[in-house]
Amino acid sequence: MSHLPSPPQKHKGEHKGHGLPRGSDRGSSSRDKDRSVTVSSTVPMPVGGKGSRTSCSPSTLQKVPNRLINEKSPYLLQHAYNPVDWYPWGQEAFDKARKENKPIFLSVGYSTCHWCHVMEEESFQNEEIGRLLSEDFVSVKVDREERPDVDKVYMTFVQATSSGGGWPMNVWLTPNLQPFVGGTYFPPEDGLTRVGFRTVLLRIREQWKQNKNTLLENSQRVTTALLARSEISMGDRQVPPSAATMNSRCFQQLDEGYDEEYGGFAEAPKFPTPVILNFLFSYWLSHRLTQDGSRAQQMALHTLKMMANGGIRDHVGQGFHRYSTDRQWHIPHFEKMLYDQAQLAVAYSQAFQISGDEFYSDVAKGILQYVARNLSHRSGGFYSAEDADSPPERGMRPKEGAFYVWTVKEVQQLLPDSVLGATEPLTSGQLLMKHYGLTEAGNISPSQDPKGELQGQNVLTVRYSLELTAARFGLDVDAVRTLLNMGLEKLFQARKHRPKPHLDSKMLAAWNGLMVSGYAVTGAILGLERLITHAINGAKFLKRHMFDVASGRLMRTCYAGPGGTVEHSNPPCWGFLEDYAFVVRGLLDLYEASQESSWLEWALRLQDTQDRLFWDSRGSGYFCSEAELGAGLPLRLKDDCDLRRPPGQGHQGSVAVCPLHLHP
């Protein structure tokens, strides 16, 4: 069974000029290093400063909701009480911009994005900035997970005019939806080397008044260039290299970039890349008798083992965090995404299938246990994500990782019992702390915690094998395993009393399709009917709640309603290419696992619909969105490569990028 794409590493382009905090993929981490940016302009603009900022304490926030209160998206609802006259993406906003001749301010993010939270608190809750956005712009909020087509088009602009991109993504558009300025995270006010969001707004307002025609001309030029660059067709190209040649090239590139010590294919940050691991397993399968084949298998298995031992895995509650901020897989960005769980479950079950090592099957089962417990709707669907941030205690301000980290004192109090038979005085807490690397000072370095929020805290990461830990204290390996499992269970029960991270209860067809694959493939490999039953329930959910029988089309989204109900937006958001591709993949995997022909038949019907809605009969290949759904957007794009993630996923918040000089 084939593995599906996984999220990519964040863009690593360097920007020269004004440093802005760098965010992350799918919710940026406050521990990431600074990134810099160049923003340019031909006309001087006024400079803002910290002294002009209006205080925005919770007591002074506007309590009257804006129109986003009528939306279903958890991300848009997070902005429903901003003092900003927000519009959702739609004709009402576009008509207002054209009628009043105002630029559109488009802000794109998602509900579990760390730097989206930061910018919302710093800027969108600020009364003065809210007035600027409401009076001089038509401000539009978009959930990138609801509208990946909007996100992809304008991220293409941001990346083309810079060497990076991420979320929150902030782009200024003409009333005809053509971009002319773009960026990601902006601090609210200017610093010594940073241009502030208020300053950017003032300068763009001035440019729009004084040099609008120049901005429009530049915007048209950029859009035309992007359109030409986005054209992907068969053309008159030479015959492409053979599959064997391409496979060999891919393997050599991965081999050259492999981290021999810790696994993976980058220094830091490190992302789970299950599509790469699946490729290596496939390469091994076709080259089993060669040295390269053995090497491919070794790289994949070692990477999976190092990830599972690292802090990127939640050893207490299972499942995997979004990515590691270091080379060792130790300190994660704590967000948990559904599509990561889906694809990693497949990768670990395949690793068990290839190696016979139950370590991998145990990890796969743990992932699916986490999804069933935390990310599952009672009707069979799957929620999108859990946030990285949560309050350390009720009533406190949310901090990244607060739900997942531990102090030595906490562990000692929870696990005070003496361990019998040890060669020295030992409690079960001391045993667990030794095995998982907890220290009194905390095991998170200051460089990974610039705000000092995690001082004295620890992330559990396996430091020693069970055999070494047992030998250290003169204990039996099975006894150590039992003691550690009992200790983790006590930590799990204690953690239930902490304030939980925000749950994004939006359900996406594409990610639910990935999860159907995760349960079906793992259930088939491990011979566990209960996992296949989860996959069947997920597929039934998709057919019941996310499929329109009359048109044969998939819906992109549905939402958890009160009392376990399922709600839809009105009008519905129809599916994109990735929704069809991953639901079809899930149904094929479910057919193989269950041998129920009805799933194959539905997959074939959906494939026909996908071909009808997205196939480019002139240039070949699939568009990412329907022609009607993307009407008005300056580009209709295709993906020209197998991404390391489901199309449209991955995130990093960081830089301001635009063709205007915005020096503080």
Side-chain angles (χ1 to χ4, degrees):
M1 300 182 190
S2 66
H3 194 344
L4 300 168
S6 69
Q9 299 171 4
K10 66 178 91 166
H11 305 286
K12 288 183 141 185
E14 294 184 1
H15 310 272
K16 298 178 181 178
H18 312 298
L20 292 176
R22 163 172 145 186
S24 77
D25 202 91
R26 257 311 223 314
S28 312
S29 170
S30 59
R31 294 184 306 279
D32 289 337
K33 297 176 182 177
D34 274 6
R35 218 178 202 182
S36 50
V37 59
T38 301
V39 231
S40 55
S41 169
T42 56
V43 179
M45 295 186 180
V47 176
K50 290 186 177 180
S52 59
R53 177 175 177 178
T54 301
S55 173
C56 187
S57 66
S59 62
T60 62
L61 285 177
Q62 177 178 323
K63 297 302 181 183
V64 178
N66 56 53
R67 59 178 57 76
L68 296 185
I69 197 68
N70 299 314
E71 298 300 308
K72 299 292 186 183
S73 159
Y75 177 63
L76 269 57
L77 289 171
Q78 287 174 351
H79 294 76
Y81 286 88
N82 293 162
V84 178
D85 188 19
W86 287 118
Y87 284 79
W89 180 265
Q91 198 59 47
E92 183 184 7
F94 310 152
D95 289 345
K96 177 180 173 67
R98 289 162 188 155
K99 180 181 178 181
E100 299 181 8
N101 194 23
K102 290 180 179 178
I104 294 171
F105 169 65
L106 172 66
S107 184
V108 182
Y110 54 100
S111 78
T112 59
C113 163
H114 174 80
W115 282 103
C116 299
H117 300 333
V118 172
M119 190 161 181
E120 192 266 342
E121 181 178 331
E122 291 178 341
S123 293
F124 300 141
Q125 290 184 19
N126 182 290
E127 296 282 355
E128 182 183 357
I129 288 176
R131 282 195 297 272
L132 283 170
L133 287 171
S134 301
E135 294 173 3
D136 298 306
F137 305 88
V138 176
S139 297
V140 176
K141 259 291 169 193
V142 168
D143 184 334
R144 66 179 299 268
E145 294 167 352
E146 283 189 332
R147 292 300 303 260
D149 57 333
V150 175
D151 177 70
K152 187 175 182 63
V153 164
Y154 295 110
M155 186 60 73
T156 298
F157 165 75
V158 171
Q159 291 175 336
T161 53
S162 73
S163 50
W167 295 272
M169 176 176 65
N170 298 294
V171 184
W172 286 261
L173 318 176
T174 70
N176 291 325
L177 306 185
Q178 294 181 334
F180 62 91
V181 175
T184 55
Y185 167 79
F186 294 89
E189 304 291 348
D190 297 338
L192 291 176
T193 59
R194 299 178 181 180
V195 61
F197 186 56
R198 178 180 171 278
T199 297
V200 174
L201 292 174
L202 292 172
R203 293 178 179 178
I204 292 174
R205 180 182 70 177
E206 193 68 20
Q207 285 279 16
W208 186 259
K209 290 178 180 178
Q210 296 183 1
N211 297 286
K212 184 175 64 176
N213 289 337
T214 301
L215 288 178
L216 294 175
E217 291 171 5
N218 289 341
S219 175
Q220 181 61 54
R221 255 197 316 273
V222 171
T223 301
T224 301
L226 291 176
L227 186 61
R229 202 173 87 170
S230 69
E231 289 288 339
I232 301 171
S233 62
M234 292 293 290
D236 299 320
R237 300 175 185 173
Q238 298 177 344
V239 177
S242 67
T245 299
M246 291 306 299
N247 284 342
S248 179
R249 289 180 185 175
C250 288
F251 170 75
Q252 293 301 328
Q253 287 184 11
L254 292 172
D255 189 26
E256 291 170 5
Y258 181 64
D259 184 337
E260 296 285 353
E261 187 173 3
Y262 296 104
F265 303 90
E267 286 295 316
K270 276 187 174 176
F271 288 80
T273 52
V275 71
I276 290 178
L277 303 174
N278 181 69
F279 166 78
L280 292 172
F281 285 149
S282 299
Y283 193 84
W284 163 79
L285 189 63
S286 59
H287 297 78
R288 274 182 288 184
L289 301 180
T290 69
Q291 185 175 352
D292 283 352
S294 298
R295 171 67 169 167
Q297 183 199 60
Q298 180 267 329
M299 287 193 293
L301 293 177
H302 180 58
T303 296
L304 286 168
K305 183 155 285 189
M306 296 304 292
M307 285 169 48
N309 284 335
I312 191 174
R313 179 185 175 200
D314 179 3
H315 293 276
V316 174
Q318 299 303 312
F320 279 77
H321 298 296
R322 185 65 194 89
Y323 65 85
S324 173
T325 63
D326 53 67
R327 178 188 168 208
Q328 295 82 7
W329 304 104
H330 179 198
I331 306 301
H333 170 49
F334 292 91
E335 178 184 17
K336 288 182 173 179
M337 307 304 300
L338 178 68
Y339 60 77
D340 281 329
Q341 316 309 320
Q343 296 174 98
L344 288 171
V346 173
Y348 278 98
S349 59
Q350 289 178 332
F352 165 72
Q353 186 180 34
I354 289 169
S355 68
D357 188 342
E358 292 185 358
F359 172 87
Y360 298 107
S361 61
D362 288 344
V363 176
K365 287 185 285 187
I367 292 170
L368 298 181
Q369 180 186 33
Y370 160 71
V371 172
R373 183 182 66 242
N374 287 52
L375 296 179
S376 293
H377 189 275
R378 70 184 189 184
S379 297
F382 303 102
Y383 304 133
S384 294
E386 285 190 305
D387 208 330
D389 300 6
S390 62
E393 296 179 16
R394 301 192 188 283
M396 295 180 65
R397 181 175 179 171
K399 295 182 179 181
E400 186 175 2
F403 186 72
Y404 300 101
V405 294
W406 300 88
T407 65
V408 163
K409 182 179 179 180
E410 287 175 313
V411 175
Q412 288 174 333
Q413 290 175 341
L414 289 167
L415 305 173
D417 296 339
S418 297
V419 176
L420 300 178
T423 55
E424 61 185 76
L426 181 71
T427 66
S428 55
Q430 290 170 328
L431 177 70
L432 185 142
M433 290 187 291
K434 181 70 174 179
H435 188 73
Y436 288 103
L438 279 67
T439 68
E440 190 75 43
N443 63 12
I444 302 170
S445 71
S447 64
Q448 293 171 298
D449 181 30
K451 292 186 177 180
E453 294 181 337
L454 300 174
Q455 289 181 1
Q457 301 285 349
N458 292 272
V459 173
L460 272 63
T461 183
V462 176
R463 292 297 193 189
Y464 308 99
S465 67
L466 286 171
E467 290 77 11
L468 281 174
T469 299
R472 167 69 176 78
F473 297 107
L475 297 169
D476 180 74
V477 171
D478 289 337
V480 169
R481 180 184 291 108
T482 299
L483 287 167
L484 290 174
N485 287 337
M486 290 173 59
L488 292 173
E489 176 62 24
K490 288 186 178 180
L491 265 58
F492 176 74
Q493 294 301 328
R495 203 171 75 174
K496 286 182 177 180
H497 299 287
R498 295 177 175 180
K500 292 180 173 58
H502 158 71
L503 172 69
D504 187 329
S505 58
K506 175 176 70 268
M507 290 170 274
L508 302 171
W511 300 6
N512 273 249
L514 287 170
M515 205 64 242
V516 169
S517 283
Y519 273 107
V521 172
T522 305
I525 290 174
L526 303 186
L528 295 175
E529 285 296 324
R530 60 182 173 83
L531 299 183
I532 298 174
T533 299
H534 276 289
I536 291 172
N537 291 338
K540 288 179 178 178
F541 180 90
L542 282 162
K543 197 164 191 178
R544 185 183 307 118
H545 295 290
M546 307 192 79
F547 177 64
D548 181 62
V549 177
S551 65
R553 296 160 76 194
L554 287 171
M555 298 177 196
R556 169 68 175 175
T557 60
C558 64
Y559 308 86
T565 59
V566 177
E567 298 181 341
H568 295 85
S569 57
N570 186 22
C573 182
W574 296 108
F576 297 90
L577 175 65
E578 66 174 21
D579 296 299
Y580 289 85
F582 292 126
V583 170
V584 168
R585 176 73 267 175
L587 294 173
L588 294 176
D589 287 336
L590 180 55
Y591 166 66
E592 291 186 12
S594 68
Q595 294 299 298
E596 293 182 19
S597 60
S598 60
W599 302 122
L600 175 61
E601 292 164 4
W602 190 30
L604 292 172
R605 291 199 300 274
L606 287 178
Q607 184 62 56
D608 288 341
T609 305
Q610 176 183 318
D611 293 343
R612 174 171 56 86
L613 295 176
F614 303 100
W615 180 255
D616 180 2
S617 58
R618 180 179 62 86
S620 297
Y622 289 97
F623 290 108
C624 296
S625 59
E626 290 186 43
E628 278 188 28
L629 189 61
L633 286 172
L635 304 172
R636 190 183 182 203
L637 299 174
K638 301 175 186 176
D639 282 321
D640 61 348
C641 62
D642 289 330
L643 300 175
R644 293 168 289 182
R645 52 164 177 76
Q649 305 314 316
H651 45 291
Q652 73 194 49
S654 61
V655 298
V657 191
C658 52
L660 303 173
H661 283 298
L662 299 175
H663 301 290

